[in-house]
Amino acid sequence: MPAIIVVGAQWGDEGKGKATDQLGTQVDYVVKFNGGNNAGHTVVVGGEKFALHLLPAGILSPTCTPVIGNGVVVDLDVLFAEIAECEARGVDTSKLKISANAHIIPSYNRLMDAVNERMLGNRKIGTTGRGIGPTYADKMNRIGIRVQDLFDESILRQKVSGALKHKNAMIQELLGHEAVVADAVVHDLLTYADRVRPMLFNVTAELNRALDRGETVVFEGGQATMLDIDHGTYPFVTSSNCTAAGACTGSGVGPRRIDRVVGVAKAYITRVGEGPFPTELLDADGEWLRERGGEYGVTTGRPRRCGWYDAVVARYATLVNSLTDIVITKLDVLTGRESIPVCVAYDVDGVRMEDMPESQSDVHHAKPVFEYLPGWTEDISDARTFQDLPVNAQAYITRLEELSGCRISAIGVGPGREQTIVRYPLI
């Protein structure tokens, strides 16, 4: 039985939650390995919509153990609010596990997010303001707070006091906010200790033993390839490694254990926040995609920037992640188009580029080279096999497969758990 990584193959919001949820009905563990509550996964089960932020999508599968790995940064307020909401709707969250090495988002880092954006001025990143970046920065600066620190008040107090010596000056000067009191932060964090203790889990040891027993583990990535801190459109990226390699560092499961890497991509493409977006549509077509696709952030409510499918991005995602499979979502959104453009290359100052440019300046100046594919008008929401799709929809998927350099194993034709065409089983 395999270890499967599920990652976003674009700029996020591709429908990874739905893909992971579907696998989660057949697997033993679903592990969130990066990011925090700066991203949301929408999953529809039995007509009910669940918006998950910190909780792994596996939380909705009764037979699955959901795990928050060491690569995640955890806002405890958000985590327990999300747990309470799920339980109020009849979801059993008692199996949730969390790594003692995961970092905690302290309240002062939400203020630091605002400080950093103000310092950048016109060069702002467009973060969600939830303290994700400052917490990852603390991790790298070795002043971060980990889950295990909740159980040693002395160490917790030292860490919080040390961090605030540097941060309070900026919080006061740039935001006009009163100084954050270390005792108040420590007291707030300690209130969670008894609630977190039963969730502690030796992620590295237990997941490797599970794989030894032949059990199936799915690693669920937050954000996406083009937002990866190393491989994305830097600096307009998130603060973690959200490509497939991040699953190993964010969980403690080595790369030789991985059997399959699944990239999730929309049948078009979207982006939230600042940064380059070669196929972005700033016209009626962009608004059409936004309204048809319900392209508003699950976490922030912000309208997403919309564009046509970018095969340059898809090929890059295939390479960076060693994708074995692609899941295409929201194919139904394109129904009704007479013609559907697909970006097959970039034009950068008169030079055709079929690979992702290394220079971010080139990405900023890239203009899409489009190929136009015939559309379809038939309702595809009830299609359950590839042959059920209209001929032009089949041709669209086949061409995306050729351009992306990876087989398309599943196709989403609606938001429901059951509205998926499986061409090649992932398990």
Side-chain angles (χ1 to χ4, degrees), residues 21-94:
D21 168 67
Q22 288 175 318
L23 289 170
T25 62
Q26 308 169 66
V27 305
D28 301 287
Y29 294 88
V30 171
V31 185
K32 188 177 176 72
F33 64 81
N34 76 299
N37 59 302
N38 55 338
H41 290 169
T42 300
V43 181
V44 179
V45 181
E48 274 198 86
K49 182 183 289 187
F50 293 85
L52 304 176
H53 304 280
L54 269 172
L55 293 176
I59 198 77
L60 301 176
S61 299
T63 60
C64 174
T65 298
V67 180
I68 295 175
N70 59 276
V72 178
V73 291
V74 181
D75 186 319
L76 293 171
D77 293 341
V78 172
L79 176 64
F80 284 101
E82 197 169 329
I83 287 172
E85 182 180 348
C86 283
E87 289 181 342
R89 298 176 65 182
V91 176
D92 179 12
T93 64
S94 62

Side-chain angles (χ1 to χ4, degrees), residues 38 109-111 113-114 117 126-132 300 302:
N38 55 338
N109 273 348
R110 291 193 288 273
L111 293 172
D113 237 338
E117 288 287 80
T127 75
T128 58
R130 285 162 168 74
I132 310 297
T300 64
R302 288 188 292 182

Side-chain angles (χ1 to χ4, degrees), residues 414-425:
R417 180 184 271 180
E418 74 287 355
Q419 290 180 292
T420 301
I421 295 169
V422 178
R423 298 175 75 201
Y424 309 106

Side-chain angles (χ1 to χ4, degrees), residues 188-243:
D188 178 60
L189 291 174
L190 288 175
T191 62
Y192 289 106
D194 289 341
R195 298 171 72 184
V196 171
R197 194 184 297 274
M199 301 177 183
L200 292 181
F201 188 66
N202 188 334
V203 176
T204 298
E206 295 299 331
L207 292 183
N208 276 283
R209 288 184 187 130
L211 290 170
D212 289 341
R213 293 192 298 267
E215 296 176 5
T216 302
V217 179
V218 170
F219 300 86
E220 174 189 8
Q223 290 84 41
T225 299
M226 299 307 294
L227 294 175
D228 184 272
I229 187 68
D230 286 299
H231 301 290
T233 49
Y234 188 90
F236 302 100
V237 292
T238 192
S239 302
S240 62
N241 286 117
C242 31
T243 42

